[in-house]
Amino acid sequence: MKLRKATAAAATALVLSLTATACGGDDSSSDAGSDSSSSGGGDTIKIGIKYDQPGLGLKEPSGDFSGFDVDVATYVAGELGFEPDQIEWVETKSADRENALARGDVKFIAATYSITDERKEKVDFAGPYLLAHQDLLVKADSDIAEGTDLNGKKLCSVTGSTSAQNVKDEIAPDAQLQQRSTYSECISSLQSGAVDALTTDDSILAGFASQEQYQGQFKLTNLKLSNENYGIGVKKGDTATVNSINEALEKMVSDGAWQQAVTDNFGPAEYKNEPAPAIGNVVS
Ligand code: GLU
């Protein structure tokens, strides 16, 4: 991830398991996916997602799971031989993702997981499958906008996210950064006035802002503070799985299922997403 220098005003502000066997097999110690047939269909597959990000990865009160990441992961699992009822969803919060993959808790992670050089030292990525941008969510009556110096402001983000790291490194090193374990905790802080802004990917922020209980309360500043290339995280060294997932992602785009997932999940939030990225095309 590299911060965009695209807009002058923003710059001013800146001064301031699939199956172990079917897919090549990476380890026998992992119980992230077990396979009972050579055709690819196995027992279950464990997939990491977020549980509290509407439009991306959400555990509904009914116990169902919804969101773009959920649809992408379900499609990919299908290509790997797993029916939806063979998927075991696992919550992987931002700070837990690398460890969850290293331990073999899950076969892959589709959880607004940006591809970065630092993360690539610990995990492998398939994709990207979406390009998002860091932004700010503020109260509807906030005067924070393009050009506002964010140093000194109270910003909420999540531990282990690129969003928090970008604030510290470049966006506003002197901001009062408050780090929580999930974005839904930040939303509560924003609502109560404990923080001035919640900062993370625009895709996530749009999903929160569109929730019925928050209608009219918040606005996005549309600053495009970074490029966030969402990848599917896989255990380091599991090249066979990366290759299988990349094939699945390519098919998802070419058969229209990717666009359908965009329409279904981002439509209600009126999130204007970027076009489908080509596999391997990480925008810095
Ligand atoms: N896409 C960013 C990241 O991977 C922020 C969203 C998140 O925390 O999942 O860190």
Side-chain angles (χ1 to χ4, degrees), residues 12 42 44 61 76 84 93 109 122 130 142 144 154 171-172 183 187 189 195-196 208 214 219-220 238 267:
T12 309
T44 59
V76 167
K93 293 178 182 171
I109 290 181
K122 297 182 182 159
L130 190 75
S142 169
I144 294 178
K154 290 184 193 140
I171 294 171
Y183 295 106
I187 275 280
S189 301
V195 296
D196 300 310
F208 276 120
Y214 303 132
K219 63 183 180 195
L220 267 87
D238 189 359

Side-chain angles (χ1 to χ4, degrees), residues 50 53 94 97 111-115 119 158-163 183 200-201 204 228 230:
K50 296 292 184 72
Q53 296 178 188
S94 296
R97 294 174 290 200
T112 60
Y113 200 8
S114 299
I115 301 171
R119 288 174 179 164
V158 162
T159 312
S161 67
T162 53
S163 322
Y183 295 106
T200 188
D201 307 339
I204 300 172
E228 303 296 325
Y230 290 0

Side-chain angles (χ1 to χ4, degrees), residues 1 97-98 101 108-129 162 229-239 241-246 249 279-280 282:
M1 199 291 319
R97 294 174 290 200
E98 288 83 20
L101 288 170
F108 67 80
I109 290 181
T112 60
Y113 200 8
S114 299
I115 301 171
T116 69
D117 288 342
E118 204 184 335
R119 288 174 179 164
K120 280 198 306 199
E121 288 170 16
K122 297 182 182 159
V123 303
D124 285 342
F125 286 101
Y129 63 93
T162 53
N229 301 268
Y230 290 0
I232 295 196
V234 171
K235 190 172 195 166
K236 184 100 190 129
D238 189 359
T239 310
T241 300
V242 169
N243 292 341
S244 301
I245 295 176
N246 279 338
L249 291 172
I279 298 302
V282 175

Side-chain angles (χ1 to χ4, degrees), residues 14 61 67 96 161 169-170 194 202 275:
L14 293 177
D96 300 337
S161 67
D169 291 348
E170 302 192 47
D202 48 9

Side-chain angles (χ1 to χ4, degrees), residues 207-226:
F208 276 120
S210 70
Q211 293 299 286
E212 212 175 307
Q213 71 266 36
Y214 303 132
Q215 283 295 317
Q217 290 187 41
F218 305 125
K219 63 183 180 195
L220 267 87
T221 55
N222 288 317
L223 295 184
K224 289 195 177 7
L225 296 166
S226 72

